[in-house]
Amino acid sequence: MRNVLILLLAGLFMQPAEFVAQDKQKKKDSYAPTPSGERLLGYAKRKELEQNSEFSNIEFRCIGPTVMSGRVVDLEVDPKDPAHFYVAYASGGLWVTHNHGTSFDPLFQNEMVMTIGDIAVDWQHGERIWIGSGENNSSRSSYSGFGIYRSDDLGKTWLHCGLEESHHIGRVLIDPQNPEHLTVAALGHLYSHNEQRGIYTTTDGGKTWTKSLFVNPTCGAIDLVRDPAQPNDLYCATWERSREAFNFTESGAGSGIWKSTDNGSTWSLISTANSGFPQGTGAGRIGLAIHNSGSGPTLYAVIDNQNPREEKSEDTGGLKKEDFINITPQQFQALPDSLLEKFLRTNEFPEEHTAQSVKRDIATGRIIPSALSDYLYSANAALFDRPVIGAEVYRFDYMTSTWKRTHQEYLDDLFYSYGYYFGLIRVNPSDPNDIFIGGVPLVRSTDGGATWKSVNPENVHGDHHALWINPNNANHIINGNDGGINISFDGGVTYINCNSPAVGQFYTVEVDDADPYNVYGGLQDNGVWVGPSNNVPDRNWHQSGDYPFDFLMGGDGMQVQVDTRDNKTIFTGYQFGYYSRIDRHQGTEADIHPHHLLGEKPLRWNWQTPILLSKHQQDVFYIGSNRIHRSLDQGEHFETLSPDLTRGAVPGDVPYGTITSISESPLRFGWLCAGTDDGRVHISRDNGYTWTDISSGLPQLWVSRVVMSEHKPERIYVTLNGYRKDHFKAYVYMSEDLGTTWKSIGTALPFEPVNVIAEDPVSQNILYVGTDHGLYITTNLGATWQSFGSGLPAVPVHDIAIQKREMDIVLATHGRSLWIADIELVSAIDTMYNSVLEVFSPEPMRRGSWGERWSMWSEFNEPDVDVAYFSSLPKGSPIEVRITSGDQVIHSFSYTHQEPGFGYIGYDLSISEAGAEKLREIFRANGSDTSEIKASENGKIYLPKGRYGITLSHGIEVETTLELK
């Protein structure tokens, strides 16, 4: 806590003048970007809630999965030993390997943030590690960082080194001549304007920083390279971009390439108007690569060129949807029926729409010609179909100070329209004409960029962000992408997958009622998966060939609902509302995607479209666009129930004015609630036919979750999220009167955006909340909050599912896969607060061949049991533990109480020889066999089958039982 307070004081009293002025301005707007000082207060609050939690010993276990991995943003390889390298994940922290990726250890997972934009390692001076926090890919889930971190002890501890308002770091560069001198490319805020962006330098190891390049409040620095033969020559790329919930401007006039000849102190633009490099509003993200073996530098740049293509449209003799945008009704009537009919059938319009019926509808004014184009609108298609130039590679001519494109043809199917996600270009250290570009595939050119081929075989995920080429062996490359780490020793022909870390970026989670129950989840760019709740991530599947988790669907995996009548019928899908009903027993799949009627404006679908299968009748299925749609036959047919429940469409290139959350009352069939991305909440009490706006009194922010209570029919919970405004306050509300009035219950939470809320199934006073930095619990409906659980990193918790039969809480984390904890004890806490000491019965255990091993080369089979207890005793209090058979004590030991709250006393189920003799006497008196009461191969005597008492005492005594079967 001392380090946290030092950091807090530094943030509050030592901020540069630009931060102080900016913070004052932000406070004028209640939804303004959260200033760094308030974020520091939030971090201090988080640490306080961790240290004072009664639930800090409730253990979480990670069940994986690992096989699909998660988004890699950077890697740094030891030049003396390429088996040793560091990997930075977008939201999964920092990991290190010493064995070519066979195994990894986590290093950066409990700091203020886990998100990473770039890392740098000083291999020459003791392996000091630098982290530029805040992912730089600017995607929907690119979390903001808190500046620069440094570790001088191989990642064991971390020191914060400033630039906290940068939010997203593009690149960190260490001066090879001076390890205290760093140059940093700061990208800046993603969802708001700010001044702390551009190029920063430090000469004292991060104590102080100097801004050496600034373009404007929406233009930051994204990439930075050093000439290896002339270390004072640096090149940086600036990128103008700004994101809002409804629009992403991914290019601008500030994007360009700059050169410094004085080690980053001053800069000059080398992508000027007459240089031949793309300019203006279409200039997007830029990546840089440089080669210089001593004979002169070769500088490459890859750019996401958002300028429109100048292509002649081919006349295929058919109609296209664009033909109907500006056509008049008179021109429409003149179209040949045969051409129009072909267009309708090719584009799968409903059969009732024929050439003649459509012309009739236009003649009567029922629809207008552009309705045919509107009918075919798809947010998914818009990701791929925008006619921009896309990826281009340029080479700098040092003689003329001009740029020349290396290729004649377009580099299609590489960046599509979302080149903001890419910027990777690397050049072989031993060959200036050997270049790699990372986009959806990884491609390579061996002729200086003139021609390209894919080096993205079938076992390598797409979307590439990191690449290392061995300077001593160009066939040895390490690639980082949305599917983890891949290593090739043949120049990219084949790869080894190194995906042992559980770093999946889950959006959602759901459970079924099978035994053992299954866990389902949708992931960023890795589809939808299902696996057993009792999974222990290991490598056994490498031998069996049977990975415990199964792949259900591709794309960006979204929400899941399960028909628990058979636990085989699954509803799930991918981005923008494209869902399917999957029958895992029959192996069939049917599409589910309600469509607007011809003449209506297209429905607006959220990236993570909400779905709901009624718990009252599981043939009833709901899905939300900007309206609520219902099916009474599991998606075969739909009716649209509601009007537009949002504040309306907003111009932009991201669907907005959409429904984000749907809830059904577990206590009243037909009571429904829906929340939207623009801050509206509606309720229906007549099966969705009429809706009442209950948003009054709530912030106008993105509704991340709406939940109707399973304890009281009139109770509703709502969480709202300001992430898309760089606003990080926690918003949690409760209504006891169906939304007529609202009470804020999140004021005691840290400044962390809230993603999800869930009720405890047993206690109506207990709530669980998942934020961008962890999980919290309240036992008094929000009056106070505590951090929940042990073992869980400070990772975004996106979703929560509770398996009621097993009383498990299941978390979907966006960066560290799936986690489970047992909450059966937690639910009973209402009865414990006045208790000094309580003890709980362990689950019955099956007596095995304890203390034995199957061969001399294996480990002994040694059991243990955790005896759960709750105590309000002070820390350090001694607790005596006695194991009894009947009224005889056969074993005893002492335990030191750690913290007030829940705890676990470990017991290895062994007894001494004296205790064993007492037990033999008891067995003989009962006529029982004593032959099993003997020392095992490891020398320990273990309890035989039977029923035993466990007594805890500290002034008072509490008892429970242990059963061995």
Side-chain angles (χ1 to χ4, degrees):
M1 190 65 183
R2 178 177 177 271
N3 290 335
V4 175
L5 292 175
I6 291 172
L7 179 62
L8 176 60
L9 291 172
L12 289 177
F13 301 114
M14 299 177 64
Q15 296 184 73
E18 62 179 296
F19 300 167
V20 176
Q22 192 176 16
D23 287 0
K24 288 180 179 178
Q25 177 64 33
K26 290 172 182 175
K27 290 175 182 177
K28 294 178 181 179
D29 178 1
S30 58
Y31 306 141
T34 302
S36 57
E38 291 184 6
R39 294 183 72 188
L40 280 167
L41 286 171
Y43 180 47
K45 181 68 173 178
R46 186 205 312 172
K47 288 301 180 182
E48 176 190 339
L49 297 186
E50 289 174 0
Q51 292 176 356
N52 298 329
S53 176
E54 298 167 319
F55 305 93
S56 59
N57 290 318
I58 302 293
E59 186 173 353
F60 273 97
R61 57 186 175 90
C62 181
I63 64 167
T66 63
V67 68
M68 78 290 293
S69 194
R71 185 161 69 248
V72 172
V73 293
D74 193 24
L75 54 92
E76 291 291 333
V77 183
D78 187 342
K80 297 178 182 178
D81 178 15
H84 169 38
F85 58 89
Y86 294 88
V87 178
Y89 292 87
S91 55
L94 181 69
W95 297 69
V96 64
T97 179
H98 296 274
N99 51 24
H100 280 297
T102 304
S103 63
F104 291 85
D105 296 311
L107 299 177
F108 185 75
Q109 58 181 353
N110 294 306
E111 303 308 310
M112 181 171 175
V113 294
M114 278 181 64
T115 175
I116 299 176
D118 191 60
I119 59 174
V121 180
D122 182 3
W123 300 104
Q124 299 178 6
H125 306 92
E127 206 168 311
R128 174 186 280 179
I129 309 168
W130 293 90
I131 287 180
S133 65
E135 186 190 357
N136 58 41
N137 288 317
S138 300
S139 71
R140 288 170 175 82
S141 55
S142 291
Y143 290 98
S144 62
F146 201 71
I148 299 290
Y149 289 82
R150 187 186 89 201
S151 176
D152 297 329
D153 55 9
L154 303 180
K156 295 183 180 68
T157 60
W158 296 91
L159 176 69
H160 183 257
C161 295
L163 298 187
E164 48 265 49
E165 284 291 356
S166 62
H167 278 207
H168 300 270
I169 300 291
R171 193 71 65 209
V172 178
L173 217 56
I174 304 171
D175 186 345
Q177 305 166 103
N178 178 8
E180 298 294 304
H181 181 205
L182 267 75
T183 310
V184 170
L187 192 51
H189 292 195
L190 177 56
Y191 287 96
S192 54
H193 298 192
N194 80 309
E195 301 289 325
Q196 195 180 95
R197 56 177 87 216
I199 297 295
Y200 284 82
T201 63
T202 179
T203 57
D204 54 15
K207 294 177 184 176
T208 60
W209 295 89
T210 300
K211 184 192 292 186
S212 62
L213 177 63
F214 176 74
V215 179
N216 67 56
T218 60
C219 184
I222 181 63
D223 208 356
L224 182 65
V225 295
R226 184 187 304 276
D227 187 328
Q230 303 176 86
N232 285 334
D233 287 2
L234 305 181
Y235 301 85
C236 82
T238 54
W239 178 24
E240 184 157 346
R241 60 90 168 100
S242 61
R243 189 156 199 157
E244 298 172 274
F246 53 86
N247 189 62
F248 188 16
T249 303
E250 59 261 53
S251 58
S255 300
I257 301 173
W258 305 71
K259 181 179 180 179
S260 171
T261 57
D262 54 13
N263 215 348
S265 295
T266 61
W267 298 87
S268 58
L269 185 67
I270 61 172
S271 61
T272 57
N274 298 319
S275 69
F277 199 79
Q279 302 288 310
T281 58
R285 180 173 176 174
I286 300 168
L288 301 174
I290 191 168
H291 178 281
N292 193 345
S293 58
S295 57
T298 303
L299 178 65
Y300 291 101
V302 60
I303 183 171
D304 169 33
N305 193 334
Q306 287 288 305
N307 287 301
R309 294 191 176 195
E310 296 180 0
E311 287 187 315
K312 294 181 180 179
S313 59
E314 296 182 10
D315 185 3
T316 60
L319 295 170
K320 304 181 294 297
K321 65 179 182 179
E322 293 79 13
D323 295 334
F324 300 100
I325 295 176
N326 296 313
I327 193 173
T328 67
Q330 293 76 19
Q331 292 170 325
F332 189 93
Q333 296 297 337
L335 292 173
D337 283 1
S338 58
L339 278 181
L340 185 55
E341 191 68 32
K342 180 180 179 182
F343 172 82
L344 295 171
R345 303 287 75 83
T346 300
N347 289 282
E348 299 182 350
F349 278 69
E351 292 295 328
E352 63 264 25
H353 297 303
T354 65
Q356 290 184 351
S357 70
V358 172
K359 283 186 174 182
R360 185 167 57 249
D361 288 340
I362 288 176
T364 60
R366 195 185 74 81
I367 64 173
I368 58 177
S370 60
L372 276 74
S373 177
D374 287 344
Y375 188 81
L376 297 177
Y377 172 78
S378 163
N380 270 311
L383 286 175
F384 298 93
D385 293 348
R386 283 174 53 198
V388 298
I389 293 172
E392 291 186 304
V393 178
Y394 286 82
R395 181 171 178 167
F396 189 62
D397 186 329
Y398 282 85
M399 296 295 292
T400 62
S401 295
T402 59
W403 295 87
K404 183 179 179 181
R405 196 170 75 170
T406 65
H407 47 96
Q408 295 297 317
E409 303 297 328
Y410 290 123
L411 295 178
D412 284 329
D413 301 331
L414 187 66
F415 282 8
Y416 296 96
S417 65
Y418 47 100
Y420 65 85
Y421 199 52
F422 306 114
L424 172 69
I425 182 168
R426 295 291 181 267
V427 59
N428 183 344
S430 58
D431 183 355
N433 292 311
D434 188 9
I435 322 164
F436 293 79
I437 306 173
V440 174
L442 182 68
V443 297
R444 182 179 190 178
S445 172
T446 55
D447 55 11
T451 60
W452 299 84
K453 66 175 182 179
S454 172
V455 282
N456 203 147
E458 69 281 353
N459 70 318
V460 177
H461 196 286
D463 295 3
H464 299 267
H465 307 290
L467 188 73
W468 175 82
I469 306 165
N470 192 330
N472 302 311
N473 175 12
N475 284 323
H476 178 199
I477 61 177
I478 306 177
N479 170 235
N481 52 63
D482 275 16
I485 286 290
N486 306 108
I487 302 179
S488 176
F489 293 97
D490 54 16
V493 178
T494 60
Y495 289 84
I496 301 167
N497 286 31
C498 302
N499 290 350
S500 58
V503 288
Q505 292 182 299
F506 278 85
Y507 286 120
T508 64
V509 67
E510 185 57 282
V511 296
D512 64 18
D513 283 341
D515 189 11
Y517 69 89
N518 295 299
V519 181
Y520 305 75
L523 300 103
Q524 187 275 333
D525 205 29
N526 276 292
V528 182
W529 293 71
V530 56
S533 57
N534 57 2
N535 182 53
V536 177
D538 57 31
R539 294 184 176 85
N540 285 333
W541 69 276
H542 287 218
Q543 181 173 336
S544 69
D546 183 16
Y547 190 72
F549 277 75
D550 292 328
F551 178 77
L552 293 179
M553 177 173 287
D556 281 77
M558 294 301 157
Q559 297 192 6
V560 182
Q561 294 284 280
V562 184
D563 187 338
T564 54
R565 294 174 298 187
D566 61 11
N567 297 311
K568 294 291 184 182
T569 304
I570 316 299
F571 299 80
T572 190
Y574 55 91
Q575 64 273 11
F576 296 128
Y578 287 88
Y579 279 84
S580 296
R581 184 184 66 249
I582 299 172
D583 186 326
R584 295 189 70 203
H585 179 72
Q586 299 292 334
T588 58
E589 183 176 323
D591 291 340
I592 298 174
H593 186 69
H595 206 287
H596 63 282
L597 299 176
L598 184 61
E600 293 181 335
K601 287 295 181 183
L603 297 168
R604 299 186 299 276
W605 301 92
N606 192 268
W607 175 258
Q608 189 188 136
T609 293
I611 59 173
L612 178 68
L613 196 64
S614 173
K615 297 301 183 184
H616 298 284
Q617 217 296 356
Q618 294 186 74
D619 290 330
V620 179
F621 176 81
Y622 300 93
I623 187 170
S625 56
N626 53 310
R627 308 169 72 179
I628 295 291
H629 314 271
R630 182 182 66 188
S631 171
L632 300 178
D633 51 14
Q634 295 200 332
E636 289 292 329
H637 305 89
F638 278 94
E639 59 178 326
T640 299
L641 297 177
S642 77
D644 189 340
L645 297 182
T646 75
R647 302 181 194 276
V650 177
D653 58 9
V654 179
Y656 188 72
T658 64
I659 293 170
T660 55
S661 182
I662 307 171
S663 181
E664 175 191 48
S665 170
L667 304 175
R668 298 288 189 273
F669 179 72
W671 284 22
L672 302 169
C673 231
T676 70
D677 54 14
D678 55 9
R680 298 189 84 180
V681 179
H682 283 80
I683 189 170
S684 173
R685 287 188 281 175
D686 59 2
N687 295 287
Y689 290 109
T690 62
W691 294 82
T692 302
D693 187 344
I694 55 174
S695 309
S696 179
L698 294 174
Q700 290 187 23
L701 291 170
W702 186 290
V703 177
S704 56
R705 203 60 53 111
V706 56
V707 173
M708 302 192 79
S709 174
E710 61 181 289
H711 297 295
K712 291 185 176 181
E714 297 81 12
R715 182 178 288 174
I716 305 173
Y717 301 97
V718 170
T719 63
L720 304 102
N721 188 306
Y723 161 84
R724 293 160 188 84
K725 295 178 179 288
D726 290 327
H727 179 74
F728 304 137
K729 185 178 178 181
Y731 291 98
V732 184
Y733 287 82
M734 178 179 71
S735 174
E736 297 279 31
D737 52 16
L738 293 175
T740 302
T741 59
W742 293 96
K743 176 185 178 183
S744 175
I745 60 172
T747 54
L749 284 166
F751 274 59
E752 297 174 7
V754 177
N755 301 311
V756 59
I757 186 169
E759 285 187 305
D760 188 89
V762 175
S763 172
Q764 66 167 332
N765 297 315
I766 297 177
L767 303 171
Y768 306 91
V769 157
T771 75
D772 281 353
H773 297 290
L775 183 70
Y776 298 92
I777 183 174
T778 176
T779 59
N780 48 25
L781 291 178
T784 59
W785 292 87
Q786 301 178 60
S787 178
F788 186 82
S790 69
L792 183 70
V795 65
V797 174
H798 263 230
D799 200 11
I800 296 172
I802 294 180
Q803 219 293 336
K804 295 181 181 180
R805 183 190 67 228
E806 303 296 332
M807 285 301 291
D808 282 350
I809 186 169
V810 187
L811 307 183
T813 75
H814 201 74
R816 295 298 286 271
S817 293
L818 301 170
W819 296 73
I820 297 177
D822 187 338
I823 58 170
E824 184 173 4
L825 305 182
V826 177
S827 298
I829 198 169
D830 287 345
T831 64
M832 301 178 204
Y833 276 127
N834 295 323
S835 299
V836 174
L837 190 62
E838 295 278 353
V839 66
F840 305 92
S841 296
E843 291 289 325
M845 296 180 65
R846 187 167 297 281
R847 179 64 160 87
S849 54
W850 295 343
E852 309 296 329
R853 55 184 177 179
W854 70 272
S855 84
M856 63 178 293
W857 309 108
S858 63
E859 299 292 330
F860 288 108
N861 175 17
E862 296 189 326
D864 63 80
V865 62
D866 286 329
V867 180
Y869 73 98
F870 180 90
S871 177
S872 58
L873 293 170
K875 181 179 179 178
S877 299
I879 297 176
E880 292 298 315
V881 183
R882 298 195 301 272
I883 311 300
T884 59
S885 178
D887 58 359
Q888 295 292 311
V889 177
I890 57 175
H891 189 66
S892 64
F893 59 94
S894 295
Y895 174 80
T896 302
H897 177 53
Q898 299 302 310
E899 300 284 352
F902 287 99
Y904 293 88
I905 300 174
Y907 172 44
D908 69 357
L909 296 164
S910 70
I911 55 178
S912 66
E913 175 56 39
E917 185 53 38
K918 283 187 179 181
L919 193 58
R920 292 187 192 104
E921 293 176 4
I922 295 170
F923 271 45
R924 283 193 287 266
N926 295 331
S928 300
D929 182 13
T930 64
S931 61
E932 294 301 316
I933 310 175
K934 62 181 180 179
S936 298
E937 186 180 350
N938 66 352
K940 293 182 179 181
I941 303 173
Y942 291 102
L943 293 174
K945 294 179 181 178
R947 196 176 188 89
Y948 302 93
I950 301 176
T951 302
L952 308 186
S953 63
H954 179 91
I956 65 168
E957 292 188 350
V958 291
E959 299 178 351
T960 189
T961 57
L962 167 66
E963 182 179 4
L964 302 180
K965 298 189 293 184

